[in-house]
Amino acid sequence: MKTTLQLFILVFVAGLLAMTTAKPTRIIFFGDSITQAGVNPGGYIDRLKKVMPADQYELIGAGIGGNKIYDLFLRMDEDVLAKQPNVVVIWVGVNDVWHKATSGTGTDPDKFIKFYNAVVKKLQAANIKVVLCTPAAIGEKTDMTNQQDGDLNQYSKFIRDISQSQNLPLVDLRKAFLEYDLQNNPENKDRGILTTDRVHLNDTGNQFVADQMQKVLTASK
């Protein structure tokens, strides 16, 4: 009887210790300048840190301005895998589309899909949970007259298709931004509703993205 009681106590204490020493879920946000700015005061990652308990979640920004999908692939070993995250949120695509017009670079559709799948596959090979995001906006006009609306919709569909085919959580920011602008942009402005410059987030946009992210991240833990 004494041996059984001692064993029970040991198991109970071990369980308590495991609960108290459990590491928080480490989440890396992997992207471009929008994510780079997200760690600044008032940025979407900074806002998430204030509502997602630090004892449960460790949030890390890994955004670099100008990055496209192939940039993410090239730097993921050092900037993501070396940090051993539990979850990686991929938010990329704006520059793959936008830079076609601004600098003649960008990323062709077939290469975008191949590199995107390669990023996902490499993360999954490391037993990392992957969350996908569609690119939100390059202009906030609601009548589909922003210059890159067609391409942005196409690349967003690529990401939705990958999410669906691999059963991966999706933060559909493209869809969410369009719906928000339709309700809150009656003057059909190209900026100033959720963005400062048609792409980067203002205060409202940062809070909006944080809300969209939080719903998916807490549901998929």
Side-chain angles (χ1 to χ4, degrees), residues 2-17:
K2 184 177 180 181
T3 303
T4 303
L5 180 60
Q6 288 174 333
L7 181 62
F8 174 78
I9 293 172
L10 285 172
V11 172
F12 180 73
V13 171
L16 286 177
L17 288 172

Side-chain angles (χ1 to χ4, degrees), residues 7-169:
L7 181 62
F8 174 78
I9 293 172
L10 285 172
V11 172
F12 180 73
V13 171
L16 286 177
L17 288 172
M19 290 174 63
T20 56
T21 59
K23 292 182 179 180
T25 299
R26 179 173 291 173
I27 303 174
I28 290 183
F29 296 85
F30 197 25
D32 51 35
S33 59
I34 303 172
T35 294
Q36 186 176 28
V39 300
N40 295 335
Y44 79 88
I45 298 171
D46 177 61
R47 291 170 188 256
L48 283 170
K49 287 181 178 180
K50 294 175 181 176
V51 295
M52 296 176 70
D55 62 335
Q56 297 180 39
Y57 299 95
E58 180 187 5
L59 309 183
I60 300 171
I64 294 181
N67 267 198
K68 307 175 186 68
I69 186 61
Y70 55 80
D71 296 302
L72 268 56
F73 179 79
L74 292 172
R75 67 181 178 89
M76 64 190 304
D77 284 344
E78 182 177 352
D79 291 356
V80 176
L81 297 177
K83 298 175 182 177
Q84 299 182 317
N86 304 105
V87 181
V88 170
V89 180
I90 303 172
W91 188 13
V92 73
V94 162
N95 293 321
D96 298 271
V97 171
W98 196 14
H99 287 187
K100 291 181 182 182
T102 59
S103 58
T105 56
T107 309
D108 293 335
D110 59 334
K111 292 180 181 177
F112 182 84
I113 294 169
K114 287 178 181 177
F115 272 107
Y116 206 109
N117 277 313
V119 170
V120 171
K121 185 177 180 180
K122 194 165 185 177
L123 292 171
Q124 290 176 325
N127 295 316
I128 297 168
K129 188 168 187 177
V130 183
V131 177
L132 309 185
C133 303
T134 53
I138 307 175
E140 295 192 70
K141 292 181 179 180
T142 59
D143 59 356
M144 287 296 148
T145 59
N146 303 294
Q147 183 181 359
Q148 285 89 16
D149 275 339
D151 280 349
L152 210 56
N153 290 336
Q154 181 187 29
Y155 283 54
S156 294
K157 184 180 184 303
F158 295 153
I159 295 169
R160 293 184 191 114
D161 290 344
I162 293 170
S163 167
Q164 185 174 7
S165 66
Q166 300 200 37
N167 195 29
L168 298 174

Side-chain angles (χ1 to χ4, degrees), residues 34 44 91 136 177 194-197 199-203 205-206 209:
I34 303 172
Y44 79 88
W91 188 13
F177 267 55
L194 293 169
T195 73
T196 59
D197 59 357
V199 172
H200 298 93
L201 306 174
N202 60 18
D203 286 343
N206 274 297
V209 169

Side-chain angles (χ1 to χ4, degrees), residues 185-218:
N185 187 11
E187 297 178 16
N188 200 36
K189 296 179 180 178
D190 72 342
R191 69 195 72 193
I193 312 303
L194 293 169
T195 73
T196 59
D197 59 357
R198 303 186 304 128
V199 172
H200 298 93
L201 306 174
N202 60 18
D203 286 343
T204 304
N206 274 297
Q207 186 60 55
F208 186 74
V209 169
D211 292 341
Q212 301 298 313
M213 294 275 192
Q214 184 186 5
K215 286 187 288 188
V216 173
L217 290 172
T218 54

